[in-house]
Amino acid sequence: MTSPETPHDKLASHFADFLTSRSVVSSADNTRLYALAKTLAEQQAAGHSCIELDPADANLLLASGLASNNALTPLIVESQRLYLRRYWQYESRLAMQLATLAAIQFDILDPEPALARHFPTDRQESDAQQQAARAALTQALTVVTGGPGTGKTTTVLKILALLLELNPNPPFIALAAPTGKAAMRLQQTIVANKAHLNCPETIKQAVPESACTLHRLLGAKPPSPYFRHNADFPLPYDVVVVDETSMVDLALMSKLVDALKPGARLILLGDKDQLASVEAGAVLADIARGLPEQTVELRHSHRFQGQIKALAEAVHRGDAEQAWQLLLTGDDAIHRLKHDAISYIGERYRRYFELIAAGAGLNEIFTEFQRFQVLCANQQGPYGAEDINRRVERAAAQAWPQSIGHTWYPGRPVMISRNHAATQLYNGDIGICLPDPADGQPRVYFPDRDGFRGLRPARLPACETVYAMTIHKSQGSEFDEAMLVLPERANPVLSRELLYTGITRAKHRVSVFAERDIFETCVARPSVRHSGLGEKLIATGSQA
């Protein structure tokens, strides 16, 4: 039976129809052009910035009048790749801008004593961290990559202290991340660790604490795709730090780099082995591959050890047999669920609902909720996030009928799914519905820098229940226990990077609900993003 056409399919078909109706080749050749244009639109929606071409298709496209190497045509053919013109412009401009940044060097007078003070040589991880700091002091572009717990944020905190100490004119610094949730985590880490810096108190006080989303940093102007800050009106900052860069897509990274003022430093943090961005591109992985001189990888993990680390490494290597055996024979840190997933989830949330019923404080409720999270491969379908959320709510309604009988019940957790500047809520922010102590009416409370703030449900932007979320949406988060739920059947979303990302969200325990064939399909299938950014950066570097 043929699957129903999705909105993305329809859009791709209309796009292909529109283009081929304007070609100058024969109707027979138009059939091939239609297929190429439709594939390009579908692959761009799937996260690829281009598609690979064979020479015959490249020649056909160039002869059609629809494509050229660099002229004002809707399609661009370059190095046997086909682009939508807009994404070719993003990629080409970003490659040029990054190469320009990579060539800029700064002179810092005798940084070694300060480096030694912040990064003692008797610690196993200090060499790589000191290398990253030295690079950030002397280069305009620095990429610090590494797996969970390798100290990326701690390293950048020390880098900021060094920049403030060693520059006669202290730099103006911005901290940002792709989502509100990731920005909040960056901010919390900075605040929690500033006191431990080995530097004067005046420097500690000068290190900024506030972090924001990239959209807020750049000054989003919804509903347009434009930002307040750009090349003509650059950001005022001397140093811009971006955490969770693996989540940043090609278009947003291009606009960020475009908005840097001349002479600014850009420091990118992230795990290049995680899932790439939802939108087009694999920017962090491409930059790390294309600009190795600007990239430092941290390998020693402070909190990520034992069986969880072994499982993540087996998945990363593509060793499906070892990964499965670890699930079956590992210690309490990794656990395979064979059946009754909803009962297991309900048991894990029991303490959370008990706190809700007892009228516990916001700190205690949020702390308990963040201990456990269900992570699904898919949003829809059996065992997708929507399905799990419905089933958990039904089970909870049976256990707590006095509380769960309407949409905004006490304890309903929600995730914001669309940026909303008016309420300062952003995609990925998580809130919990609780009765207002003053009038008993439902409010949804969100953590912020000063504690919590509550909003009436009617004021919220688009949001969804979040006992379960997709692994994609979990990036930038960590939980005491992550429960990974894979679908009953293989689908295109499943990949090695998806599984690795889900596993590495867990600090103490990973539970996996999956059949062996689906689990092994994930491990065996690396995610491939078609992009020319890495090659452009390599080519630029070889010409330098």
Side-chain angles (χ1 to χ4, degrees):
M1 184 174 66
T2 304
S3 300
E5 193 173 38
T6 68
H8 283 309
D9 295 332
K10 292 178 181 178
L11 185 61
S13 297
H14 287 311
F15 172 76
D17 278 331
F18 176 81
L19 282 184
T20 52
S21 69
R22 287 157 175 76
S23 76
V24 296
V25 297
S26 68
S27 57
D29 285 334
N30 260 349
T31 301
R32 180 58 184 160
L33 284 177
Y34 176 91
L36 289 168
K38 187 171 185 291
T39 299
L40 177 62
E42 291 169 341
Q43 293 300 295
Q44 194 274 314
H48 304 276
S49 58
C50 58
I51 61 173
E52 303 291 332
L53 293 172
D54 63 33
D57 284 338
N59 290 333
L60 172 61
L61 283 156
L62 291 171
S64 71
L66 301 175
S68 63
N69 298 123
N70 56 15
L72 294 176
T73 52
L75 304 178
I76 299 293
V77 173
E78 179 187 74
S79 301
Q80 302 303 310
R81 298 187 188 94
L82 177 64
Y83 294 84
L84 290 172
R85 178 175 179 79
R86 179 175 53 168
Y87 285 90
W88 175 78
Q89 288 175 320
Y90 285 144
E91 190 177 277
S92 300
R93 184 167 178 80
L94 179 58
M96 178 188 68
Q97 292 167 321
L98 290 172
T100 300
L101 271 179
I104 298 174
Q105 300 287 312
F106 298 101
D107 291 324
I108 298 291
L109 184 63
D110 193 19
E112 296 307 317
L115 283 166
R117 174 163 33 89
H118 281 283
F119 301 97
T121 56
D122 60 343
R123 296 182 182 175
Q124 183 177 351
E125 73 277 9
S126 285
D127 285 349
Q129 291 182 347
Q130 189 175 118
Q131 181 187 351
R134 188 178 290 106
L137 289 175
T138 58
Q139 299 174 170
L141 174 64
T142 305
V143 179
V144 182
T145 185
T150 51
K152 298 183 293 293
T153 310
T154 303
T155 300
V156 86
L157 173 59
K158 294 179 180 181
I159 288 170
L160 298 181
L162 286 162
L163 287 169
L164 290 164
E165 283 186 72
L166 299 176
N167 278 286
N169 297 311
F172 188 26
I173 299 168
L175 305 175
T179 67
K181 179 173 55 180
M184 180 65 71
R185 275 198 63 210
L186 173 62
Q187 181 172 301
Q188 289 169 342
T189 303
I190 296 289
V191 171
N193 289 283
K194 275 176 63 168
H196 306 300
L197 288 169
N198 189 4
C199 63
E201 190 63 30
T202 54
I203 298 299
K204 295 178 185 180
Q205 294 301 319
V207 173
E209 296 181 352
S210 180
C212 66
T213 65
L214 284 170
H215 282 79
R216 188 175 180 187
L217 178 77
L218 292 170
K221 299 167 68 175
S224 81
Y226 303 109
F227 293 94
R228 179 168 177 259
H229 291 287
N230 51 42
D232 296 325
F233 185 57
L235 292 163
Y237 302 101
D238 304 299
V239 180
V240 175
V241 175
V242 181
D243 198 11
E244 298 292 348
T245 308
S246 63
M247 300 169 67
V248 182
D249 63 84
L250 175 64
L252 185 56
M253 182 61 76
S254 179
K255 291 174 182 180
L256 170 66
V257 177
D258 205 35
L260 295 176
K261 76 175 187 179
R265 285 177 170 86
L266 178 63
I267 303 173
L268 305 176
L269 312 176
D271 185 348
K272 63 181 177 57
D273 297 321
Q274 278 190 32
L275 281 167
S277 56
V278 174
E279 302 297 331
V283 174
L284 179 62
D286 282 343
I287 297 174
R289 182 167 60 91
L291 295 173
E293 296 300 317
Q294 277 64 46
T295 303
V296 179
E297 183 169 5
L298 308 182
R299 299 181 183 275
H300 178 75
S301 180
H302 299 260
R303 64 164 174 83
F304 198 59
Q305 302 292 337
Q307 294 291 297
I308 297 178
K309 181 179 182 182
L311 179 62
E313 289 179 343
V315 169
H316 182 241
R317 291 194 307 271
D319 191 338
E321 178 64 29
Q322 184 184 10
W324 185 254
Q325 288 305 312
L326 282 167
L327 273 186
L328 298 182
T329 62
D331 59 22
D332 190 57
I334 55 177
H335 174 220
R336 186 206 169 198
L337 289 168
K338 296 181 181 180
H339 52 76
D340 209 5
I342 302 304
S343 293
Y344 182 84
I345 296 168
E347 187 59 35
R348 282 294 184 266
Y349 280 123
R350 176 179 296 279
R351 173 63 178 160
Y352 170 70
F353 280 111
E354 288 175 347
L355 291 173
I356 299 292
L362 285 167
N363 273 316
E364 191 175 4
I365 289 171
F366 269 86
T367 298
E368 181 61 32
F369 181 76
Q370 292 164 355
R371 293 187 194 283
F372 173 76
Q373 182 65 55
V374 183
L375 306 178
C376 301
N378 298 92
Q379 179 69 17
Q380 299 174 328
Y383 293 108
E386 291 180 3
D387 178 46
I388 295 291
N389 282 319
R390 282 193 298 267
R391 293 166 70 177
V392 170
E393 281 192 318
R394 284 199 297 267
Q398 293 176 358
W400 307 91
Q402 72 278 17
S403 300
I404 304 176
H406 48 86
T407 301
W408 291 104
Y409 57 84
R412 182 191 175 193
V414 295
M415 174 185 280
I416 301 300
S417 55
R418 188 179 68 236
N419 294 336
H420 193 250
T423 56
Q424 295 185 15
L425 292 173
Y426 299 93
N427 186 15
D429 287 352
I430 290 178
I432 294 175
C433 181
L434 294 166
D436 187 330
D439 59 16
Q441 293 300 305
R443 282 184 179 269
V444 183
Y445 291 88
F446 295 86
D448 66 12
R449 184 176 178 182
D450 299 319
F452 297 91
R453 61 192 179 103
L455 297 172
R456 299 293 188 198
R459 291 195 60 203
L460 299 184
C463 61
E464 57 199 42
T465 303
V466 71
Y467 298 106
M469 67 176 73
T470 62
I471 295 173
H472 268 98
K473 292 180 180 178
S474 74
Q475 289 177 271
S477 300
E478 62 179 18
F479 313 97
D480 286 352
E481 178 182 354
M483 176 181 169
L484 276 57
V485 179
L486 300 186
E488 298 174 304
R489 297 179 181 178
N491 63 61
V493 168
L494 301 182
S495 71
R496 183 180 304 166
E497 289 75 12
L498 183 87
L499 198 54
Y500 171 86
T501 300
I503 292 166
T504 55
R505 298 310 89 206
K507 291 191 288 185
H508 303 304
R509 190 176 194 189
V510 175
S511 303
V512 179
F513 181 75
E515 295 301 323
R516 179 170 183 167
D517 60 334
I518 301 300
F519 181 86
E520 291 186 342
T521 294
C522 267
V523 179
R525 183 190 287 171
S527 176
V528 177
R529 281 284 174 96
H530 294 297
S531 163
L533 179 60
E535 282 71 17
K536 284 182 172 74
L537 291 170
I538 291 170
T540 304
S542 65
Q543 295 168 8

